[in-house]
Structures are given as structure tokens and as C-alpha cells.
Amino acid sequence: MSLHDKLIFVNLNDDDSIDLINVEPQPHINKNIIKWDNKKLSNEIASDDNATIKLCHLIQEKKLSINSASDVANLLEVPVGQFLYILYHKKNNYKSFSIKKNNGEDRQINAPQGGLVILQEKFKVVLDYFYRPKRAAHGFISGKSIKSNAEKHIKKTHVVNLDIEDYFSTITFARVYGLLKSKPFNFAHPAATVLAQLCTREGILPQGSCTSPVIANIISASLDKQFTQLAKRKSITYTRYADDITFSFRQKSIPEIFFKTDGENIEIGDAVRNIIESNGFKINEEKFRVQERHEKQVVTGLVVNDKVNVDRNYIRLTRAMIDKWCNDKVQASINFCSIKNIQATTNNKAVSIFRNHIYGRLSFIKMIRGGDFPVYLKLITRMSHGDVYKTKEGIRAMKETETFEIFICHASEDKESMAKPIYESLTALKIHTFIDHVEIKWGDSLIEKINSALSKAKFVIAILSANSVEKKWPLKELHAVLAREINDGKVKLLTLVKEEDEELIQSSLPLLQDKLFMVYKNNPDELAKKVQERLKYN
């Protein structure tokens, strides 16, 4: 009996009716010739949004049983023949590669591809329905992250970290089969067998499959429960992020968690060891560590001494990468790919890989400290200034921290002969400079843009000529800078006088008579170097 037929015998209200798509090949007879309508495997759920959830509810209520491979195929909306072919006969279901872990070791990734990944994604909907995350679990769970995991261990006297060795590899075909046979799934032997086959590779959970994390979490639920009970009895905090287990407490010592031997060596407590091993796992002895209050306490890569924070070394390395990107992105990208053993067929490909890596690091800092974290804003702003293809987040950050080292105040008549050459010489020395025709875009507010840039610029180069003293706009900018300089008591205005207009400027702008100015003699490169020296000592 197919799953469609079984639904006929389930008493469903109109609101609970399920429109389960029939994907099995259907015969069409035309002039005594039979043609079969073979369905193609879709990478989306063909039924309406609630159909799979309703089926899961019936399974949970034991009103619908999943017994055979045909039932599983119906549930996953794939012809049973195609389902079995993908599982048992199709080659190259996985793409295998390795990535470097933080400790330099290789992590083997087996990523499903083709029809297999579609089937796993469909079955993940079922797994997600039945999984009830434990409060202590934080890995691969919606709304939780390494940050939520680390937040539980702030300001503790001791932070204890240990790692489960070969976490995914320890979860075998037999364990997955047993899971699917038991509550709340209650799948019959044939169904549990093909689904365990669907979710494992060479008898173990593959890292890279979308179903592996949720299966691992379900199988680890008993572990979480026992550790939570221990934590409650001893007034300590316990969390788990995948294979990374953390305990923290304010007591001086808890022997169940760790103890010191006569030789002052630190050993894992018997209670912890027994719970892990009784749940079919093994401790990675090399990654066991106890961190006390006076030293840096790290949980899932985040510092937790006083608040959840990004490690300073991570920020330093990110800053160094951005500096290399801004100085010579092509060479920096080639070097990065070489160090990481990444094959980049072209320089453009290498630049794309390095660029994405930097933005990934910046996204991590933002996730932990927020989008208004000053260090983050400074880093992404610098990255964005050196990136032709600016991101939306980069543009937002630039607006938030739109600071310029130099603002060029000038009349439009002096743009081509003075302002543009000076701007080009300054930018060639990587001096972040504001000039209206570059920074003000179509639709921008002129007043808002200029006032913002003027207020945040370190120095304003005022190009003074017969043209500028006769126009209201440059004079307004000039007076605004002078007023700010008088109020703050800091030099902000650098005056640059057109050679032939020197006398006119002195007579027209008496406020500038005590200001040491520079006469422009068509020497933008020399001027830019002097500005660079001034910025060094500012």
C-alpha cells in the first residue's frame, strides 16, 4: 500500500487534508501505445508548504506509518526507482576535499552532490520537525551560534573546554538506523535502512551533508541531558557546540569536572569521562584545557573573561590582510592563495577568493560585536575604500564613519587646473581625500555631503584665487573651517594660494593674514608629499 493509499484510511478534517503529489511514472495510452510520464527530481518540495509538516505530525501521532522504501520515496517526493538508483547504483554522489583547521590539520569534507543532495535536503525537513533542541546545545540550531554558546560562560572563575574526538565519524550507520527505528520516528526496518543509507557515507556521518548536524544533535541529546543534570547538581554551566563541550563555574574546584594530581597535572573528572563514553563518544585528550580567571578564557574561539569578544589576534590579522589588500591586492591575493594551497587559475580569481575571505572575517567580527563596533566600522570602511565593488554593508559603514584626511575646498573654475591634479597626487599617496565630483553622486544632498565631510576631515586644503573669493560657496566652506579651528584650537585649515592672485587674496581675506600659506606653482606632487608629512605628525 502506497503512502497515498494509507492517507485515505486516516480520518482527516478538511483543514488537515494533505495534497501529496504523486511522482511515480504514470501510463498514458494512445492508440494502444503505452507511454510513461516519468517525473524529474525537483530540488524543491512539490507539495504545499504544510504537507510535509502534516505528514510528520501524523507519523508522530502514530496515525501514519513509514514502513517501506516506497513510503520513504513518497515522503521525499521522488519515484522509488530513482530513489533506490541514487542510493545504491549512482556513482560520484559525493565530492571530497579537505580544508585547513585552525591548528593546521586537515578537515575532510564530503559534500553530497546531484540527486543525493536534493534528497538529503528534503529529509532534513523531517529531521528538523522531530528534533527538539536541548537548551545547552548551540551548534547548527536556528537562533543560536558560537556567540550564544560563549555568552553562558562570562566572568567565571574556571572555564573548562574539551572536545569529542572524531565526532561525526563516531556516529555510524548502525546508530543512525537505531535512531530512526526508535521514538519519535518509529520507522520500520526497510524505511530506517534506506534513510540511514541516505544520511551516511561508507558507514559514517559525512561532514558536509546538511543532515549530519541535526542527526548528530539528536544522537547527542542524551549526552546533553546527563550533563545538564550534572551541571544543575553542582551549580555549574554546561554548553555544547557540536563536538566542543564547555563547563564553567565560580567554585575553586569541582572534582567531577577536573582535578589536580599530586604532580599538579590536571585530569578530566571521572563523571565527565563516564558520561561521554557511555554515550558512545571519546574525548580528544589533546584539546582538554582549564582556563582560570587571571588568564585569557576562550570558548568556541571567543574571549569570555568580561564579555564576549573577538580575540585581538584575529582582529590584528584581519587588519593586516586589509592593509595588504589596499597596498597591492593582486600580489596579496596570490600570496594568500599560495599559503592556503588554493588553486586560483587567474589573478582575478585569486583576488575574488582573498576579497571574500576578508569580508567573511569582517562579517564574523560584526556578528560578535555588532555593526556599530568602532573597530569593525574602521576596518570595513578601510576595506571598502580599496574595493571597486563595494558591498551594501561597506557603503553603510563608510557613511557612518565618513572621515577624510583631506577636504579640497575650491571654486569650479579652479577644478581642472588645480583641484584635480592635487587630488590625483594625494590619492596616489593613498591619502583619503574628498573632492566633490568624486564623492557626491547623483541625487545626494550637496549641503549634507559637504558639511559632513568638512566636519570630519583632518585638514581642509583651501584653494584661494580670484575665482574663489568672488563665489559664495567656497567662502562659506572657508569660514566654517575657520570657525571650527578657532573653537577647537587645532590647526585644520591649510591655505593654498594661486601664484598670480597672492596680493588679491591677502587684501580680500583679512582673517587669513596671520595664516602661513603655500603658493601653488603647478607642483601637485610636491604639495602632496608635504601634506603626507603633516598627516604623520598630526
Side-chain angles (χ1 to χ4, degrees):
M1 185 184 295
S2 71
L3 201 60
H4 301 81
D5 294 333
K6 289 180 182 181
L7 286 173
I8 297 174
F9 294 95
V10 178
N11 293 322
L12 296 175
N13 300 322
D14 291 339
D15 293 338
D16 294 330
S17 62
I18 301 173
D19 183 18
L20 186 62
I21 306 299
N22 190 349
V23 293
E24 290 297 330
Q26 300 296 313
H28 295 281
I29 302 175
N30 184 14
K31 296 180 180 179
N32 297 322
I33 298 174
I34 299 176
K35 291 186 177 181
W36 289 87
D37 178 21
N38 293 303
K39 307 293 185 181
K40 290 184 178 180
L41 180 59
S42 172
N43 59 359
E44 296 180 355
I45 299 295
S47 304
D48 62 86
D49 294 342
N50 293 322
T52 303
I53 301 302
K54 288 179 179 179
L55 286 172
C56 291
H57 181 70
L58 292 176
I59 294 167
Q60 188 178 37
E61 296 293 318
K62 297 183 179 180
K63 294 179 179 179
L64 184 68
S65 59
I66 304 296
N67 298 325
S68 64
S70 179
D71 287 346
V72 172
N74 291 163
L75 182 65
L76 301 182
E77 299 173 337
V78 57
V80 65
Q82 187 176 10
F83 175 60
L84 295 174
Y85 169 76
I86 291 172
L87 282 192
Y88 296 110
H89 300 289
K90 190 175 184 298
K91 297 180 180 179
N92 303 319
N93 273 332
Y94 287 90
K95 180 180 179 180
S96 300
F97 57 93
S98 61
I99 58 174
K100 288 287 184 185
K101 295 193 285 188
N102 291 334
N103 60 7
E105 297 177 358
D106 287 334
R107 185 191 303 278
Q108 187 69 22
I109 302 297
N110 293 294
Q113 54 186 358
L116 186 68
V117 70
I118 297 172
L119 294 174
Q120 288 183 352
E121 286 173 351
K122 289 187 174 185
F123 184 50
K124 185 178 182 295
V125 176
V126 178
L127 291 169
D128 286 339
Y129 175 87
F130 285 104
Y131 176 45
R132 300 292 182 267
K134 299 295 183 183
R135 185 177 297 180
H138 291 262
F140 315 111
I141 297 171
S142 177
K144 293 187 176 183
S145 64
I146 60 170
K147 183 180 180 182
S148 67
N149 183 67
E151 283 174 339
K152 305 297 182 183
H153 304 284
I154 297 171
K155 297 181 179 179
K156 298 297 181 67
T157 304
H158 291 92
V159 174
V160 181
N161 299 106
L162 58 90
D163 192 84
I164 298 174
E165 187 172 333
D166 298 327
Y167 181 54
F168 285 99
S169 312
T170 307
I171 300 173
T172 61
F173 172 90
R175 296 182 74 175
V176 178
Y177 168 81
L179 169 70
L180 298 174
K181 284 269 292 178
S182 60
K183 292 181 180 180
F185 300 97
N186 298 310
F187 294 157
H189 165 71
T193 300
V194 293
L195 284 170
Q197 184 69 43
L198 173 67
C199 298
T200 58
R201 179 180 184 270
E202 296 179 354
I204 60 175
L205 276 189
Q207 288 197 63
S209 166
C210 67
T211 53
S212 293
V214 63
I215 289 174
N217 271 335
I218 296 172
I219 286 178
S220 301
S222 175
L223 177 91
D224 291 333
K225 181 179 179 181
Q226 292 176 55
F227 273 138
T228 299
Q229 291 171 345
L230 173 64
K232 189 174 182 180
R233 290 197 305 270
K234 297 297 177 180
S235 299
I236 64 179
T237 301
Y238 158 74
T239 64
R240 180 182 61 82
Y241 190 94
D243 58 350
D244 197 328
I245 290 173
T246 306
F247 301 96
S248 65
F249 47 88
R250 293 187 173 89
Q251 300 92 313
K252 290 184 178 180
S253 176
I254 297 181
E256 288 84 353
I257 307 300
F258 76 90
F259 61 92
K260 292 183 178 180
T261 64
D262 294 338
E264 291 300 304
N265 291 324
I266 298 177
E267 297 288 343
I268 301 170
D270 290 340
V272 170
R273 189 179 296 278
N274 290 338
I275 289 174
I276 289 177
E277 292 179 355
S278 67
N279 280 275
F281 296 111
K282 184 180 178 182
I283 297 172
N284 186 335
E285 306 287 347
E286 294 180 359
K287 293 189 176 181
F288 168 67
R289 66 184 187 275
V290 176
Q291 304 163 102
E292 297 185 356
R293 188 79 177 98
H294 63 271
E295 60 185 323
K296 182 168 68 175
Q297 296 173 323
V298 178
V299 176
T300 46
L302 301 173
V303 180
V304 296
N305 290 68
D306 297 305
K307 60 184 176 184
V308 175
N309 208 348
V310 182
D311 193 297
R312 291 179 182 176
N313 291 331
Y314 188 91
I315 290 178
R316 287 193 191 104
L317 182 56
T318 305
R319 183 182 290 113
M321 287 181 175
I322 294 172
D323 288 342
K324 291 176 181 177
W325 166 272
C326 292
N327 290 331
D328 189 341
K329 60 174 64 69
V330 174
Q331 190 58 52
S333 301
I334 292 171
N335 292 342
F336 174 80
C337 290
S338 176
I339 292 170
K340 296 292 184 179
N341 292 320
I342 299 172
Q343 297 296 323
T345 53
T346 64
N347 287 350
N348 286 340
K349 181 65 175 176
V351 169
S352 177
I353 291 170
F354 189 42
R355 176 182 181 273
N356 291 340
H357 181 79
I358 293 174
Y359 277 119
R361 296 178 71 92
L362 290 169
S363 295
F364 175 76
I365 296 171
K366 179 188 176 185
M367 180 186 75
I368 303 304
R369 294 303 310 271
D372 296 328
F373 179 42
V375 173
Y376 163 75
L377 286 172
K378 185 176 181 180
L379 289 174
I380 194 170
T381 298
R382 175 154 170 70
M383 178 66 186
S384 297
H385 281 308
D387 188 6
V388 176
Y389 305 104
K390 293 176 173 55
T391 64
K392 288 183 179 180
E393 175 63 12
I395 293 170
R396 180 197 73 83
M398 290 172 70
K399 289 179 178 179
E400 290 283 335
T401 62
E402 200 167 54
T403 56
F404 294 88
E405 292 172 296
I406 300 297
F407 180 103
I408 299 178
C409 170
H410 65 288
S412 57
E413 290 83 356
D414 296 321
K415 186 181 293 293
E416 295 297 330
S417 61
M418 296 179 68
K420 277 189 176 181
I422 293 169
Y423 172 79
E424 290 166 2
S425 294
L426 289 169
T427 53
L429 295 178
K430 302 188 185 306
I431 297 172
H432 188 208
T433 305
F434 178 96
I435 192 168
D436 52 10
H437 74 279
V438 173
E439 299 296 337
I440 300 178
K441 307 300 181 185
W442 189 16
D444 287 346
S445 167
L446 292 173
I447 295 175
E448 182 181 328
K449 272 279 188 179
I450 290 174
N451 285 342
S452 175
L454 271 174
S455 64
K456 295 177 181 178
K458 292 182 180 179
F459 291 105
V460 175
I461 294 178
I463 297 177
L464 304 178
S465 67
N467 297 315
S468 60
V469 297
E470 295 174 358
K471 302 190 78 171
K472 292 182 179 180
W473 193 263
L475 287 178
K476 282 185 177 181
E477 293 176 350
L478 183 63
H479 291 148
V481 177
L482 279 171
R484 185 175 292 274
E485 186 176 283
I486 292 169
N487 290 334
D488 296 345
K490 295 180 180 179
V491 175
K492 191 176 180 72
L493 182 65
L494 305 175
T495 49
L496 183 66
V497 178
K498 195 173 183 179
E499 187 173 16
E500 58 266 33
D501 296 335
E502 186 175 346
E503 291 184 8
L504 173 64
I505 296 303
Q506 286 183 320
S507 61
S508 300
L509 299 172
L511 278 175
L512 297 177
Q513 287 184 359
D514 67 336
K515 196 85 172 168
L516 182 62
F517 59 82
M518 180 176 173
V519 177
Y520 184 72
K521 299 179 180 180
N522 198 27
N523 54 344
D525 290 344
E526 180 184 345
L527 170 68
K529 288 179 180 178
K530 288 187 177 182
V531 170
Q532 188 179 48
E533 287 298 314
R534 184 66 192 254
L535 287 168
K536 283 182 181 179
Y537 297 104
N538 183 45

